[in-house]
Amino acid sequence: MAASLDDDFESDNQDYYSLLNVRKEATLEELKASYRRLCMLYHPDKHRDPELKSQAEQLFNQVHQAYEVLSDAHSRAIYDLFGKKGLEVEGWEVVERKRTPAEIREEYERLQREREERRLQQRTNPKGTISVGVDATDLFDRYDEDFEEMPGGGFPHIEINKMHISQSIEAPLTNTDTAVLSGSLSTHNGTGGGNINMTVRRVMSAKGWGELELGAGDILGPLIGLKVFRNITQRCFLTAQCGLQFSPRGLRPTCSMMAARHLDQNTMGYLQWRWGPSSAMTTSLVRDTKSSHFTLALQLAVPHSYLMMSYQYKFQDEDQTKVKGSVKTGWFGTVVEYGAERKISRHSVLSATVSIGVPQGVTLKIKLARASQTYLFPIHLTDQLLPSAVFYATVGPLLFFMVVHRLVVIPYTQAQKEQDLELQRKSSAVDIAKKKTEAESAVLLMQESVRRIIEAEESKMGLIILNAWYGKFVTDTSQKQEKAKVIDVTVPLQCLVKDSKLILTEASKAGLPGFFDPCVGEDKSLKLLYQFRGVMHQVICADTEALRIPKQSHRLEPESS
C-alpha cells in the first residue's frame, strides 16, 4: 500500500533539503548554519515595506517549517520515507519516537490501513445488473401467409419478453464484519416475482471467513443459509455452503461443497458437489495466462450432465481486446458460442456473443459493463439453425460497432483526452505562476544581501556570478524551432555565495530560494558564467547534479601573468 502512495507524495512534495540547500546526509550543525543564514535573509523585521514584509513572512515560515522537520530525527525519518504528506497522517503523536526506518515504515502502513478502514466505513460499493430479453424470432421465423392477413403490411413483430433487475450494496460494520443487502425483480411473458437478501460476512482470520444469509421472496419463500471459506494450505482452499428454503411445498434443504487447488502458477483445478433439487458433481480445469484463458468442465447430473470447453485469447493492446469461443454438449443438446470483448472507454467494456444451439436456435448476446453496473441484452433471433440468422448475428454487430466506434467513440475519447490535457495545462500554469510569484518575491528580498555580497567579493577578487540560467536549453539544431524555457537565477545564486564558494547539493535546483520550475516534467539544467580572481569561468550541470565552484576545469581563458 505504501509503495503506491509514495508516487502521490512525490507529485505534491516541497523539497526541504533543496530549500535549505543542504545534503540529505546533512548534520544538525549544517542545518543550523543554513537555517540562520536564510533567517537573516527573510526575517520580516528587516523589511519596512508592507508588501515585502508580507512576502518575507511567507518565505520565513517555509524555511522555519523545513528546519523544524529536518532538525527532529523522528520527523526527518518520516519525511525521508514518505515526504511531506507522510507527516500529515494522523497518529504519529502516539508513536514511540525511537524507531528504526523499517519500524517507521511498518507503523506508517498501519496508520494508512486504519485510515483506509475509516474510508471503507463510508462506502456502500453498489453493484447492479439489468437484463432485457428481446424476442426477434419474427425476423427469420415468420410465415408469409400469416403476415399477409395481418394489418400493417406484414412488419416483423419484435418484443421484450423478459426482464431482470438486481442491485446490491455493502456496508462495513466493523473492521472484520460487512453487511450486504441485495434484491432482484424478474418478469417473463407477463409473470414475475422478486426477492430480497441480507448477508453478514465476518472475516475470522487471514485464512477464512463465514457468511450468514437471510432471504425472502414471493415465489420460493424465506431462505436461511450459511457459507464458509477456508484456506487449507497455500495452494488449496475449501468452500462449504448449506441452506434451508421454506417453500409452499415444504422445507427444501440444499448443500454444496467445493475444493480448489493451484496446479501450477496459472492453472486451477475445481471439484464441486451439490445436493438438493439440482444435485450434481462438477469438475473443472481453468488456466489463465497473460495472453489466454482456457476452461474445461464436466458435470454429472440428472438430467443436466454436460461437457464444456472454452478458450479466450487476449490481445496485448490498449483496448484489451479479447476473442472467445466455447462448445457445450449434454442431454439438453449442443451449444456453440463465439464472440469478442473490447474496452471502449476508461470504465466501460462492450462484448457481443453469438450462441448457436440445438434445439435452442440462434441468440445474440450484447453486454455492456460500466464500472460496477452491468447491462445485458440477449436477443433471440430464431428457434432454428438458419445460416442467414448466423450471418446477420455475426456481421451486424461488427459493422454497427465499427460505425459507432468511428463516428462516436473515437471523437468522444479524443475530446476527453484533450479536455484532460487542457485541465492539466491550466493546473500546471497556475502552479508555475504561483511558484514564479514566490520566486520573484524571494529575489526582491535578496537584493540588499546580494549587493553586500558582491561588494565583499569584489574587494578580494572573489566569486562573482555574472549570468546564471536554469531550465530547458535547446542546443540541437533539429530543435531550433522549439522555444527554450529558462529563467534568470543570477541573483539567487549570488546570494548563496559564501567565502568565495558556491556549493549546491544533488537535490533539484527548483526548490532553491528564488528558483521555480519553468518546464514541469522536462529535463532541466543549470548554466553559469562566473568570474573568479579576474578570470572568466563557465559550467553547465544537470538539475540533480551536485555543483561546487570555483573549479579550475571551468576556466574559459588562461590566467593572466
Side-chain angles (χ1 to χ4, degrees):
M1 180 185 298
S4 63
L5 290 164
D6 288 347
D7 298 334
D8 297 333
F9 295 157
E10 291 299 328
S11 63
D12 186 22
N13 182 29
Q14 184 181 25
D15 191 341
Y16 287 157
Y17 291 100
S18 181
L19 179 63
L20 298 181
N21 191 31
V22 294
R23 302 172 297 118
K24 287 198 173 183
E25 302 80 16
T27 62
L28 186 59
E29 288 71 22
E30 291 174 327
L31 289 170
K32 287 181 179 178
S34 178
Y35 175 60
R36 291 195 191 102
R37 179 181 174 86
L38 292 173
C39 282
M40 291 177 62
L41 182 64
Y42 297 134
H43 202 287
D45 294 342
K46 295 184 64 177
H47 305 278
R48 296 182 179 179
D49 184 90
E51 185 176 350
L52 290 178
K53 190 179 185 71
S54 175
Q55 295 168 352
E57 285 179 354
Q58 295 180 9
L59 293 168
F60 183 82
N61 290 334
Q62 291 179 14
V63 172
H64 180 69
Q65 184 182 28
Y67 175 73
E68 275 195 332
V69 170
L70 299 184
S71 61
D72 181 84
H74 183 66
S75 299
R76 184 173 179 176
I78 298 170
Y79 176 80
D80 288 344
L81 285 171
F82 307 108
K84 188 178 177 181
K85 290 275 185 166
L87 296 166
E88 299 173 0
V89 175
E90 298 178 2
W92 286 121
E93 62 276 3
V94 297
V95 175
E96 184 183 357
R97 298 182 64 83
K98 294 181 180 180
R99 293 287 184 103
T100 64
E103 291 173 333
I104 288 176
R105 178 173 285 277
E106 182 180 350
E107 192 65 31
Y108 174 79
E109 291 175 351
R110 182 186 68 80
L111 293 173
Q112 281 294 99
R113 285 195 298 269
E114 290 181 356
R115 186 172 70 171
E116 289 300 319
E117 287 166 359
R118 289 194 295 269
R119 289 179 179 177
L120 275 175
Q121 292 177 7
Q122 301 173 356
R123 297 179 181 174
T124 57
N125 192 24
K127 297 179 182 178
T129 300
I130 297 177
S131 178
V132 179
V134 179
D135 184 358
T137 54
D138 278 355
L139 289 172
F140 299 96
D141 294 344
R142 63 180 179 177
Y143 297 94
D144 293 338
E145 58 271 18
D146 294 338
F147 278 90
E148 289 175 357
E149 298 176 359
M150 293 177 59
F155 288 102
H157 181 63
I158 300 175
E159 65 177 4
I160 296 175
N161 61 351
K162 57 183 176 181
M163 182 178 292
H164 175 80
I165 301 175
S166 63
Q167 187 75 25
S168 68
I169 56 173
E170 294 183 2
L173 304 177
T174 65
N175 294 339
T176 58
D177 298 335
T178 304
V180 181
L181 181 65
S182 61
S184 65
L185 293 172
S186 300
T187 179
H188 188 197
N189 291 330
T191 62
N195 63 73
I196 186 170
N197 293 71
M198 177 71 177
T199 303
V200 178
R201 182 188 302 121
R202 164 164 287 189
V203 179
M204 270 78 78
S205 66
K207 292 186 176 181
W209 49 264
E211 278 186 358
L212 176 64
E213 179 182 9
L214 299 174
D218 59 353
I219 298 177
L220 298 177
L223 165 72
I224 182 170
L226 181 66
K227 185 177 182 180
V228 178
F229 170 87
R230 178 75 178 179
N231 278 313
I232 307 302
T233 65
Q234 291 184 347
R235 302 180 61 182
C236 182
F237 65 86
L238 182 70
T239 301
Q241 184 175 5
C242 61
L244 196 61
Q245 186 86 53
F246 298 88
S247 68
R249 299 180 180 179
L251 296 178
R252 302 176 63 182
T254 60
C255 184
S256 67
M257 185 175 295
M258 184 187 70
R261 179 178 175 83
H262 287 273
L263 303 179
D264 61 34
Q265 184 178 2
N266 301 307
T267 308
M268 289 286 296
Y270 298 90
L271 181 63
Q272 183 179 22
W273 168 77
R274 186 171 68 247
W275 174 79
S278 303
S279 299
M281 176 70 76
T282 307
T283 181
S284 58
L285 187 70
V286 179
R287 181 171 179 80
D288 191 10
T289 65
K290 186 178 180 180
S291 61
S292 64
H293 182 93
F294 174 78
T295 302
L296 179 64
L298 173 65
Q299 176 173 296
L300 299 177
V302 179
H304 303 293
S305 297
Y306 66 83
L307 175 66
M308 188 271 290
M309 182 174 65
S310 69
Y311 179 81
Q312 182 183 82
Y313 181 78
K314 308 172 186 176
F315 291 90
Q316 305 302 312
D317 59 354
E318 184 181 356
D319 296 324
Q320 302 177 12
T321 306
K322 302 173 185 177
V323 293
K324 51 190 175 181
S326 68
V327 58
K328 185 176 181 180
T329 182
W331 299 116
F332 56 84
T334 301
V335 177
V336 175
E337 290 189 347
Y338 58 89
E341 176 182 299
R342 190 170 188 178
K343 186 176 181 180
I344 58 174
S345 69
R346 184 181 303 175
H347 303 292
S348 301
V349 177
L350 180 66
S351 65
T353 304
V354 179
S355 176
I356 307 169
V358 178
Q360 291 85 357
V362 181
T363 301
L364 172 63
K365 302 175 183 177
I366 298 175
K367 177 181 176 182
L368 175 64
R370 179 168 176 81
S372 59
Q373 300 294 318
T374 303
Y375 305 90
L376 300 172
F377 300 93
I379 306 172
H380 189 52
L381 300 177
T382 175
D383 295 324
Q384 309 173 53
L385 292 183
L386 298 178
S388 58
V390 176
F391 175 79
Y392 285 112
T394 305
V395 177
L398 185 60
L399 292 177
F400 179 76
F401 172 78
M402 292 175 65
V403 172
V404 173
H405 188 262
R406 180 59 62 91
L407 299 180
V408 179
V409 176
I410 292 179
Y412 174 77
T413 53
Q414 288 179 345
Q416 286 292 106
K417 288 180 180 179
E418 291 175 359
Q419 185 177 359
D420 292 342
L421 287 174
E422 184 63 26
L423 289 175
Q424 290 178 6
R425 282 193 291 265
K426 288 181 179 179
S427 176
S428 178
V430 171
D431 186 59
I432 290 176
K434 179 182 177 183
K435 296 293 184 183
K436 181 181 179 181
T437 302
E438 293 177 356
E440 290 173 347
S441 300
V443 170
L444 287 175
L445 298 173
M446 294 175 184
Q447 295 292 340
E448 182 62 27
S449 297
V450 167
R451 185 184 61 78
R452 290 197 301 266
I453 292 172
I454 291 177
E455 289 177 355
E457 293 296 324
E458 284 179 341
S459 66
K460 56 184 178 182
M461 295 186 69
L463 178 60
I464 306 294
I465 308 296
L466 300 176
N467 279 304
W469 301 92
Y470 172 72
K472 181 182 179 182
F473 296 89
V474 178
T475 56
D476 191 348
T477 55
S478 63
Q479 299 178 339
K480 280 187 176 180
Q481 293 182 349
E482 185 177 356
K483 185 179 179 181
K485 303 175 183 177
V486 295
I487 58 173
D488 187 347
V489 291
T490 307
V491 171
L493 288 182
Q494 186 68 64
C495 192
L496 294 174
V497 172
K498 183 179 181 182
D499 298 330
S500 298
K501 294 178 183 178
L502 174 63
I503 301 174
L504 302 179
T505 66
E506 65 278 3
S508 173
K509 310 299 183 289
L512 290 169
F515 280 61
F516 70 94
D517 192 342
C519 45
V520 178
E522 300 184 52
D523 293 334
K524 294 170 284 292
S525 55
L526 177 65
K527 184 177 181 179
L528 285 90
L529 178 66
Y530 64 93
Q531 180 178 299
F532 180 68
R533 293 181 180 175
V535 180
M536 302 293 289
H537 295 68
Q538 182 173 298
V539 62
I540 299 177
C541 71
D543 185 28
T544 56
E545 179 183 352
L547 178 66
R548 186 184 183 97
I549 61 173
K551 260 190 179 182
Q552 191 78 8
S553 59
H554 300 163
R555 291 164 58 98
L556 290 178
E557 59 185 61
E559 188 175 354
S560 59
S561 57

